[in-house]
Amino acid sequence: MIFELDYREIQRLQENIRQLPNRAEKVINQTLHTDGVKLVESNVTRLIPVSNRNKNTKWYREHGSVKHAKDTKWSISKTENLGFILKSKGGAANKRGSFGYLVFPDEGRGQEEQNFTERATDIAVPQIMSKLHGKLIETIGGNL
């Protein structure tokens, strides 16, 4: 997936990092691993459509989840240095608690591409950058 960042935002971030030579990495990791994950997850969740299927039927109760992905914790995250991975609790659609249609969130499953991840990231990246600036400025001492 490709997303764009405003070069001025990168320059601003770089200046803030320069003022925290030994602590910036820790602040960035903490922010990405908490706020970053939450922002991307909430933006993807907001874009997940709810089908009109009656999930309270006997078959759904026996073979799968009775909840829609939008109404549950559909994702898992993995933290990395200066980043994170957010992915769906995918798997075979016939496994209980699996949201098989989210295995490929950029295409969704159905008639047309839904681009959950791309659209959510376009919204979340500026919010994450704002959080990063705020946390770095707070750590510097709020004098910027």
Side-chain angles (χ1 to χ4, degrees), residues 91-141:
N94 64 350
K95 288 186 179 177
R96 186 174 263 309
S98 173
F99 298 103
Y101 61 94
L102 294 179
V103 173
F104 305 103
D106 282 343
E107 288 113 32
R109 292 241 176 121
Q111 302 300 326
E112 59 191 60
E113 288 188 9
Q114 299 189 35
N115 300 319
F116 297 143
T117 308
E118 182 180 338
R119 290 169 41 211
T121 304
D122 286 345
I123 297 166
V125 166
Q127 296 170 336
I128 293 169
M129 291 297 285
S130 177
K131 291 276 187 187
L132 285 172
H133 289 305
K135 294 290 184 178
L136 288 168
I137 290 169
E138 182 182 310
T139 305
I140 292 168

Side-chain angles (χ1 to χ4, degrees), residues 30-68:
Q30 288 173 338
T31 305
L32 290 175
H33 299 165
T34 56
D35 296 330
V37 169
K38 287 177 190 172
L39 284 167
V40 173
E41 181 184 50
S42 67
N43 280 296
V44 171
T45 302
R46 188 176 53 78
L47 297 173
I48 296 173
V50 177
S51 72
N52 58 4
R53 291 182 182 157
N54 180 1
K55 288 199 160 198
N56 228 3
T57 64
K58 182 180 177 186
W59 188 90
Y60 275 106
R61 286 193 306 273
E62 291 174 359
H63 294 95
S65 175
V66 294
K67 292 185 178 182
H68 292 281

